Amino acid sequence: MTNAHRPILVTGFEPFDGEAINPSWELARALDGETIAGHRIVAVQLPCVFGASLTVLHGAIARHDPAVVLAVGQAGERSQLSLERVAINIDDARIPDNAGAQPLDVAIIPGAPSAYFSSLPIKPMLAALRQAGIPAEISQTAGTYVCNHVFYGLMHALDQRPGIRGGFLHIPYLPEQAVLHPGAPSLSLSVAIEGVRVALRAALA
Amino acid sequence: MTNAHRPILVTGFEPFDGEAINPSWELARALDGETIAGHRIVAVQLPCVFGASLTVLHGAIARHDPAVVLAVGQAGERSQLSLERVAINIDDARIPDNAGAQPLDVAIIPGAPSAYFSSLPIKPMLAALRQAGIPAEISQTAGTYVCNHVFYGLMHALDQRPGIRGGFLHIPYLPEQAVLHPGAPSLSLSVAIEGVRVALRAALA
Amino acid sequence: MTNAHRPILVTGFEPFDGEAINPSWELARALDGETIAGHRIVAVQLPCVFGASLTVLHGAIARHDPAVVLAVGQAGERSQLSLERVAINIDDARIPDNAGAQPLDVAIIPGAPSAYFSSLPIKPMLAALRQAGIPAEISQTAGTYVCNHVFYGLMHALDQRPGIRGGFLHIPYLPEQAVLHPGAPSLSLSVAIEGVRVALRAALA
Amino acid sequence: MTNAHRPILVTGFEPFDGEAINPSWELARALDGETIAGHRIVAVQLPCVFGASLTVLHGAIARHDPAVVLAVGQAGERSQLSLERVAINIDDARIPDNAGAQPLDVAIIPGAPSAYFSSLPIKPMLAALRQAGIPAEISQTAGTYVCNHVFYGLMHALDQRPGIRGGFLHIPYLPEQAVLHPGAPSLSLSVAIEGVRVALRAALA
């Protein structure tokens, strides 16, 4: 299949930590079926579970053979779109995942590299976002919970698949979530959606 | 004129502090002409200037004889809609206003009361906002710059006009403004606009 | 009694909100008996209780006839010494006080002024603190809990006692308290103590 | 040389970004010559310069053959001691270093691993700090400036020297620095010094 016909895989998570929704999945499913620079977006939901999230992700990569994978997750304390730079080989969970597991200071993949950098062009993506009026930043840490777990597992898989580029984006709460967190920042779904369009266009340019 | 026909005056400010726009004016002019609970909204722009802002405000009150006055201003460091509780009788400017004046620790109206509380029902407005999924909070300070100046001057004038209720709302940066302030929170104009509709409906209920 | 012989009353609170200590009382009792510019410091502990705190405060003022009253309270989310500018006539408690009362949106003293400004020279005190290398700021709100309640009740009482000046200072957690609040700011007791000495010297200059 | 006689190398930086002092060097030189668990502390100052900082660090390691290396740096926006978990192989400078260089998105050591984890026992160190009443946290990013550069260069060197353990600690501003940064958190030097003693004792236990 030529690159132009290969899809973009955008993943989002199911809700966790007591939230009713997860903005990453709201975003992914809203984009499902859209075409960016000739590539159709395929949205896949990941469980917020160590291990199982990667099983689903790897299955989706195998099934769809995407040109680009953008995994998206919720970062409730952040104000802007966060383009993650690096995934680290550690699980260290502050709270249990949705299956009740709470790994502490264990390698995601024993013996694998300590970290992988995003293979998406995060600086051009950042510039495009700011140019489009969408608040964004580079982040140096995706944490040590399921988001980083998925980001690391993604990049580890893609290390063997040089034809697929991938990375991770953290997005803030939606405004309706911030209602339950007095003082918390948020970002509208429409802004996040437009942000992903802009960022993907820059990544594919 | 019966109460039902008297308008709602919504004021916003011109840009200040190097910003190209002021979300409070974008919000006010977007609502201009809308009807809330039978009251037409009239939007008026205030200069970001000590003194002159109150001259414009008082002129607008005299001209429109509103049932409700909602003055709105930008609070760049805040994440949510802030319903202000109290205006204090002091000007203490961190930066010069748009006319170059920078009053320090001077009474807005010498001999007048130290403070006025909002005469809008801020707690029911807060409840209505949260019910509508719009992030909001009560704030105990509108600062000591032109926002508080306008809020105080408004409430001082309304103290002699018991038939008019008034208050002040601070709103965050718009997302496009936050682009220039890495890490800063923002709120979409559409959310702020819907928030003002919801809050005014609650105030008029 | 001449002014030079009248004491300085420094009040601190008992612990609240699950804390084992209250830095304001640690500070007050550490200063008890010291002499600042010829005035002996008398420390008095206030209960973290609406109403009862003012009974104790007013009793201490009557008993000691101080030249200056500095009420001090804990502000767990703040990083620097906060010289409070204004007390407002409202109780609106986020959590119950130590006696279980949780007043919501009620006047502290019905019919009394909406607010009182500190009668301490907060700007010279701020300048002296910064000159001494102690991080400090002016705050425009002491909140709506027992701290503001005491500040308001103090200034209302002093309004009838022009020979006594008074104000309120918020101080951060101590470092040992911040241990239980990941990421929270703190300030060492020794810095806060030296800060109060410097601030009182400036107030009495 | 037996382990018991090998020193602890504690490095701090010279001031940068317009500051008059750097708390990391104030801390290191205050500890110079102390003995922790039988190991004498040797303090070495590093220039806040990409490249040159590592030359000095590697020279000090060669000269002193330490049992443990703790590199310390200033993190002005943080409130607590930050035990860094991971160093990443990237320089991306927000501001020029003290020699005027501002590398952007370049590998520190081309071809070397993407990251190294601290070889200090950061979780036991964290527990010991909290037990001692010293506010501390684990940090997942040391940034992409000279601090991370030194941390990465340290861990890369120690990768060939398994007998030496090393890691990085970020510390807040001192209170006297925070005076120039309104609202900024700080930590007293005495608390940071005691924190390093406690953390090193835990690391050597």
Side-chain angles (χ1 to χ4, degrees):
Chain A
M1 188 157 35
T2 69
N3 185 64
H5 296 100
R6 291 163 62 205
I8 298 165
L9 178 61
V10 175
T11 68
F13 286 102
E14 64 182 2
F16 72 106
D17 200 14
E19 298 290 330
I21 57 174
N22 189 314
S24 65
W25 175 241
E26 300 306 312
L27 178 147
R29 72 174 183 178
L31 287 163
D32 188 55
E34 273 195 31
T35 297
I36 302 280
H39 301 265
R40 190 171 49 85
I41 291 176
V42 175
V44 169
Q45 193 189 58
L46 306 183
C48 187
V49 175
F50 290 100
S53 52
L54 285 179
T55 305
V56 175
L57 174 66
H58 294 150
I61 291 172
R63 190 161 59 253
H64 296 293
D65 185 31
V68 167
V69 182
L70 182 68
V72 186
Q74 166 189 304
E77 74 292 352
R78 298 193 193 172
S79 300
Q80 308 197 342
L81 297 183
S82 284
L83 296 157
E84 296 294 346
R85 186 194 291 268
V86 64
I88 59 175
N89 190 9
I90 197 98
D91 288 335
D92 192 23
R94 183 184 55 82
I95 54 173
D97 70 13
N98 283 2
Q102 187 172 11
L104 298 176
D105 287 323
V106 295
I108 299 169
I109 301 174
S114 293
Y116 288 104
F117 287 103
S118 176
S119 57
L120 297 179
I122 56 174
K123 288 294 181 73
M125 292 163 82
L126 177 68
L129 284 164
R130 291 181 170 172
Q131 178 70 23
I134 295 167
E137 62 199 348
I138 303 295
S139 164
Q140 321 306 335
T141 174
T144 57
Y145 194 58
V146 183
C147 285
N148 174 73
H149 181 87
V150 160
F151 184 17
Y152 184 88
L154 168 64
M155 300 317 298
H156 185 70
L158 299 192
D159 196 49
Q160 306 302 317
R161 303 280 302 269
I164 309 178
R165 287 181 300 160
F168 198 95
L169 178 74
H170 264 121
I171 65 175
Y173 284 139
L174 300 183
E176 56 263 43
Q177 292 180 282
V179 165
L180 299 175
H181 303 275
S186 63
L187 199 69
S188 288
L189 186 59
S190 58
V191 176
I193 289 171
E194 183 58 18
V196 169
R197 288 184 189 120
V198 167
L200 287 173
R201 250 179 248 126
L204 289 159
Chain B
M1 188 157 33
T2 69
N3 186 64
H5 295 101
R6 291 163 63 205
I8 299 165
L9 178 61
V10 175
T11 68
F13 285 102
E14 64 182 2
F16 72 106
D17 200 14
E19 299 289 330
I21 57 173
N22 189 313
S24 65
W25 176 239
E26 299 306 312
L27 178 146
R29 72 175 185 179
L31 287 163
D32 188 54
E34 273 197 29
T35 297
I36 302 281
H39 301 265
R40 190 172 49 86
I41 291 175
V42 175
V44 169
Q45 192 188 59
L46 305 182
C48 187
V49 175
F50 290 100
S53 51
L54 286 179
T55 304
V56 176
L57 174 66
H58 294 150
I61 292 172
R63 190 161 59 255
H64 296 292
D65 185 32
V68 167
V69 182
L70 182 68
V72 186
Q74 166 189 305
E77 75 290 355
R78 298 193 193 173
S79 300
Q80 307 197 342
L81 298 183
S82 285
L83 295 157
E84 296 294 346
R85 187 194 290 268
V86 64
I88 59 176
N89 190 9
I90 198 98
D91 288 335
D92 192 23
R94 183 183 57 82
I95 55 173
D97 70 13
N98 283 1
Q102 188 172 12
L104 297 176
D105 288 323
V106 294
I108 299 169
I109 301 175
S114 293
Y116 289 104
F117 287 102
S118 175
S119 56
L120 296 179
I122 57 175
K123 288 294 180 73
M125 292 163 82
L126 178 67
L129 285 163
R130 291 181 170 172
Q131 178 69 22
I134 295 167
E137 62 199 348
I138 304 296
S139 164
Q140 322 305 337
T141 175
T144 57
Y145 194 57
V146 183
C147 285
N148 175 73
H149 180 86
V150 160
F151 185 15
Y152 184 88
L154 167 64
M155 300 316 298
H156 185 69
L158 298 192
D159 196 48
Q160 306 301 316
R161 303 280 302 268
I164 308 178
R165 286 180 302 160
F168 198 95
L169 178 74
H170 263 120
I171 66 175
Y173 284 138
L174 300 183
E176 56 264 43
Q177 292 180 283
V179 165
L180 300 175
H181 303 275
S186 63
L187 199 69
S188 288
L189 186 58
S190 58
V191 176
I193 288 171
E194 183 58 19
V196 169
R197 287 184 190 122
V198 167
L200 286 173
R201 251 180 248 127
L204 289 159
Chain C
M1 189 158 35
T2 68
N3 187 64
H5 295 103
R6 291 163 63 205
I8 299 165
L9 178 61
V10 175
T11 68
F13 285 102
E14 65 182 0
F16 71 106
D17 200 12
E19 298 290 331
I21 56 172
N22 190 313
S24 65
W25 175 239
E26 301 305 312
L27 179 147
R29 72 175 184 177
L31 286 164
D32 188 54
E34 272 195 30
T35 297
I36 302 280
H39 301 265
R40 190 171 48 88
I41 292 176
V42 175
V44 169
Q45 192 189 58
L46 306 182
C48 187
V49 174
F50 290 101
S53 51
L54 286 179
T55 304
V56 175
L57 174 66
H58 294 150
I61 292 172
R63 191 162 57 254
H64 296 293
D65 185 32
V68 167
V69 182
L70 182 69
V72 186
Q74 166 189 306
E77 74 291 354
R78 299 194 192 171
S79 299
Q80 306 196 344
L81 297 183
S82 285
L83 295 157
E84 295 294 346
R85 187 193 292 269
V86 63
I88 59 176
N89 189 11
I90 197 99
D91 288 335
D92 192 23
R94 183 183 57 82
I95 54 173
D97 70 13
N98 283 2
Q102 188 173 12
L104 298 176
D105 287 323
V106 295
I108 298 170
I109 301 176
S114 293
Y116 289 103
F117 287 103
S118 175
S119 57
L120 297 179
I122 57 174
K123 289 294 181 72
M125 291 163 83
L126 178 67
L129 284 164
R130 291 181 170 171
Q131 177 70 22
I134 295 166
E137 62 199 348
I138 303 296
S139 164
Q140 322 305 335
T141 174
T144 57
Y145 194 56
V146 183
C147 286
N148 174 72
H149 180 86
V150 160
F151 184 16
Y152 184 86
L154 168 65
M155 300 316 298
H156 185 68
L158 298 193
D159 196 48
Q160 306 302 317
R161 303 280 301 269
I164 309 178
R165 287 182 299 161
F168 197 95
L169 178 75
H170 264 120
I171 66 175
Y173 284 138
L174 300 184
E176 57 262 43
Q177 291 180 284
V179 165
L180 300 175
H181 303 275
S186 63
L187 199 69
S188 289
L189 185 58
S190 57
V191 176
I193 289 171
E194 183 58 18
V196 169
R197 286 184 191 123
V198 166
L200 287 173
R201 251 179 248 127
L204 289 160
Chain D
M1 190 158 28
T2 69
N3 186 64
H5 295 101
R6 291 162 62 205
I8 299 164
L9 179 61
V10 175
T11 69
F13 284 102
E14 64 182 2
F16 72 106
D17 199 14
E19 299 289 331
I21 57 173
N22 189 313
S24 65
W25 176 239
E26 301 305 312
L27 178 146
R29 72 175 183 177
L31 287 164
D32 188 54
E34 272 195 30
T35 297
I36 302 281
H39 301 264
R40 190 171 49 87
I41 292 176
V42 175
V44 169
Q45 193 188 58
L46 306 182
C48 187
V49 175
F50 290 100
S53 52
L54 285 179
T55 305
V56 175
L57 175 66
H58 294 150
I61 292 171
R63 192 162 57 254
H64 296 293
D65 185 33
V68 167
V69 182
L70 182 68
V72 186
Q74 167 190 305
E77 75 291 353
R78 299 193 192 172
S79 300
Q80 307 196 343
L81 298 183
S82 285
L83 296 157
E84 295 295 346
R85 188 193 291 267
V86 64
I88 60 175
N89 190 9
I90 197 98
D91 288 334
D92 192 23
R94 183 184 56 83
I95 55 173
D97 70 13
N98 283 1
Q102 188 173 12
L104 298 176
D105 288 322
V106 296
I108 299 169
I109 302 175
S114 293
Y116 289 105
F117 288 103
S118 176
S119 56
L120 297 180
I122 57 174
K123 289 294 182 72
M125 292 163 83
L126 177 67
L129 284 164
R130 291 181 169 171
Q131 177 70 22
I134 295 166
E137 62 199 348
I138 303 296
S139 164
Q140 322 304 338
T141 174
T144 58
Y145 194 58
V146 183
C147 286
N148 174 73
H149 180 86
V150 160
F151 184 17
Y152 184 88
L154 167 65
M155 299 317 297
H156 185 69
L158 299 192
D159 197 48
Q160 305 303 316
R161 304 279 301 269
I164 308 178
R165 287 180 299 160
F168 197 94
L169 177 75
H170 263 120
I171 65 175
Y173 284 139
L174 300 183
E176 56 263 44
Q177 291 180 284
V179 165
L180 300 175
H181 303 275
S186 63
L187 199 69
S188 289
L189 185 58
S190 58
V191 176
I193 289 171
E194 183 58 18
V196 169
R197 287 185 191 121
V198 166
L200 287 173
R201 250 180 249 126
L204 290 160

